[in-house]
Amino acid sequence: MGPVRGSKKKRKIEKKPDENVSASSEMEGSVDCWHDLSRRMNGLQSPSKGLDKFKSVFRISRKTFSYICSLVKEDMTAKPGSFTFSNGKPLSFEDQVAVALRRLSSGESLVTVGDSFGLHRSTVSQLTWRFVEAMEERALHHLQWPSTSAERMEIKSKFEKIQGLPNCCGVIDTTHVMMCLPSADPASKVWLDREKNHSMVLQAIVDPEMRFRDIITGWPEIREYIIGDLGYPLLPYLVIPYQGKELPEISMEFNKRHSATRLVASRALARLKEMWKIIQGVMWRPDKHKLPRIILVCCLLHNIVIDLEDDNAQDEMPLSYDHDPGYRQRICGSLDVNGVHLRDKLSLYLSGKLPP
């Protein structure tokens, strides 16, 4: 998923009537559910002992289990289809959630989870994805950026109490989610990280209570970079197009996307010169010490027009313009091996041949 930002009240789930799911009756229901479930799961003993193992099996309390069920019930039960155990008995809604949670919390294979519940692996897969989709729809309010000043002040105060750092709003860190991909597939190379492992990156911002406030994931480990034309060298942080006439399709597609993206700079420079014409033509014997400052101010004015959303000024500007007439494209030709690797990684990612 992409970054999730916005307002979020301090979580006091137990005080929200629509989330509490009727305290005593629901707790009793989940206990009864666990009695039945524990009988079906291999490796668990009698129901009484099984009850003590709820947290060890699902990594959450029965109260949290009930709340999660309340979140996803509408979406999961609305989808057609019925599921049965190997003995032919149908799965209850709570059974379905339990299977998905077990798959997510244990990390065990579909076959292993299926065997423990008496289910086929395809059933485990379907239930897991139904649950994931329902959570995406119903639980995003649990991952939001603090928007009120009071909430931000509370977060900063708690951070300061840890080791005295003032005005800190969050801690950012990155982790790798390892993957096993077929090495024979060229598309797998894009997911190779700096340690030569296949992984997906998760970047997260965390508050003092270890709550995720913002995450970015779904991307391979591609470091930050800028792009330029063939007049620049190919560097680990500067990506230029492929050069040549008979390029592979994947390289041609990359060049097409690279060129379309690069147009934003060409249009910006064209707009700058068109609007602030003092730097458009040939300046007659300018003061070499003052000219950089004039250029700077023109760039500042350019940004002010954008920042103030001055549509009248922007609408008059050309979307495409040759900002350097008379200058031919120069070619640098210098290549850095790390830059080559980064460009190849990007072209594979953009080719559309990667698995979803």
Side-chain angles (χ1 to χ4, degrees):
M1 80 185 277
V4 181
R5 297 182 174 89
S7 62
K8 184 181 187 303
K9 303 294 183 184
K10 184 178 179 181
R11 291 192 300 175
K12 293 185 179 178
I13 294 169
E14 67 275 8
K15 292 188 178 181
K16 295 181 179 180
D18 59 329
E19 295 176 353
N20 199 22
V21 213
S22 68
S24 59
S25 60
E26 185 63 29
M27 286 299 294
E28 292 173 0
S30 64
V31 170
D32 292 338
C33 164
W34 178 243
H35 270 283
D36 295 336
L37 197 59
S38 64
R39 294 193 193 99
R40 302 185 190 108
M41 291 187 63
N42 299 327
L44 292 181
Q45 301 176 16
S46 65
S48 59
K49 293 182 179 179
L51 281 171
D52 297 331
K53 292 188 176 182
F54 192 96
K55 274 193 175 182
S56 66
V57 173
F58 296 107
R59 308 297 174 89
I60 58 175
S61 68
R62 292 188 291 275
K63 178 181 179 181
T64 302
F65 179 84
S66 297
Y67 171 65
I68 291 172
C69 286
S70 74
L71 281 179
V72 301
K73 186 171 186 177
E74 182 179 351
D75 284 26
M76 288 187 67
T77 56
K79 292 185 177 181
S82 60
F83 302 95
T84 59
F85 292 102
S86 56
N87 62 7
K89 185 175 181 179
L91 274 77
S92 68
F93 164 68
E94 289 77 10
D95 290 336
Q96 297 177 33
V97 175
V99 171
L101 287 174
R102 178 62 180 173
R103 168 73 168 141
L104 295 177
S105 65
S106 70
E108 295 170 343
S109 69
L110 294 171
V111 173
T112 301
V113 175
D115 288 346
S116 67
F117 281 92
L119 298 168
H120 191 272
R121 63 182 180 181
S122 63
T123 301
V124 177
S125 177
Q126 291 180 62
L127 291 176
T128 302
W129 278 110
R130 284 193 175 202
F131 177 78
V132 168
E133 291 170 350
M135 286 291 290
E136 286 178 325
E137 287 294 321
R138 301 296 179 178
L140 283 180
H141 59 283
H142 283 282
L143 201 167
Q144 295 186 358
W145 190 257
S147 62
T148 66
S149 58
E151 191 175 9
R152 288 193 295 270
M153 284 297 296
E154 181 182 8
I155 288 174
K156 289 188 284 186
S157 174
K158 288 181 179 179
F159 269 123
E160 189 166 3
K161 289 178 181 178
I162 296 176
Q163 280 295 324
L165 285 176
N167 221 32
C168 177
C169 296
V171 179
I172 189 170
D173 204 350
T174 297
T175 190
H176 295 80
V177 180
M178 304 286 286
M179 300 184 290
C180 180
L181 300 177
S183 56
D185 185 358
S188 299
K189 293 180 181 179
V190 72
W191 299 101
L192 279 174
D193 57 36
R194 59 182 178 274
E195 301 297 334
K196 307 301 180 183
N197 300 314
H198 291 110
S199 68
M200 182 176 290
V201 175
L202 165 61
Q203 177 180 283
I205 299 177
V206 182
D207 70 12
E209 297 174 324
M210 296 195 300
R211 183 183 295 111
F212 290 118
R213 290 296 189 163
D214 185 278
I215 68 167
I216 299 176
T217 190
W219 298 87
E221 187 183 65
I222 297 177
R223 57 184 173 271
E224 294 177 334
Y225 58 92
I226 57 177
I227 64 174
D229 59 26
L230 292 171
Y232 295 92
L234 178 60
L235 299 173
Y237 57 86
L238 175 55
V239 180
I240 63 174
Y242 289 98
Q243 186 181 0
K245 293 183 177 179
E246 297 182 359
L247 294 172
E249 182 179 349
I250 190 173
S251 300
M252 292 174 61
E253 175 65 19
F254 174 84
N255 281 0
K256 178 182 176 182
R257 292 170 178 255
H258 186 282
S259 176
T261 304
R262 206 170 66 244
L263 275 178
V264 68
S266 298
R267 289 172 176 169
L269 292 170
R271 180 172 289 178
L272 174 73
K273 287 187 171 181
E274 181 68 21
M275 191 162 188
W276 310 106
K277 289 186 167 60
I278 190 172
I279 59 174
Q280 185 184 54
V282 179
M283 299 190 72
W284 178 252
R285 296 182 180 179
D287 185 322
K288 308 291 194 307
H289 301 288
K290 292 182 178 180
L291 181 55
R293 297 164 68 181
I294 292 173
I295 295 173
L296 169 62
V297 169
C298 289
C299 291
L300 292 173
L301 291 167
H302 171 94
N303 281 1
I304 288 172
V305 169
I306 295 174
D307 292 341
L308 296 184
E309 300 178 351
D310 190 343
D311 295 332
N312 291 332
Q314 294 190 58
D315 289 343
E316 296 175 1
M317 298 299 102
L319 293 179
S320 179
Y321 187 77
D322 182 6
H323 58 82
D324 257 343
Y327 283 85
R328 292 181 298 175
Q329 171 69 64
R330 71 184 187 95
I331 299 176
C332 176
S334 177
L335 302 175
D336 178 277
V337 63
N338 290 323
V340 172
H341 179 66
L342 173 59
R343 183 173 63 183
D344 289 344
K345 205 172 190 179
L346 282 168
S347 64
L348 278 170
Y349 186 82
L350 294 172
S351 67
K353 298 180 180 179
L354 293 175

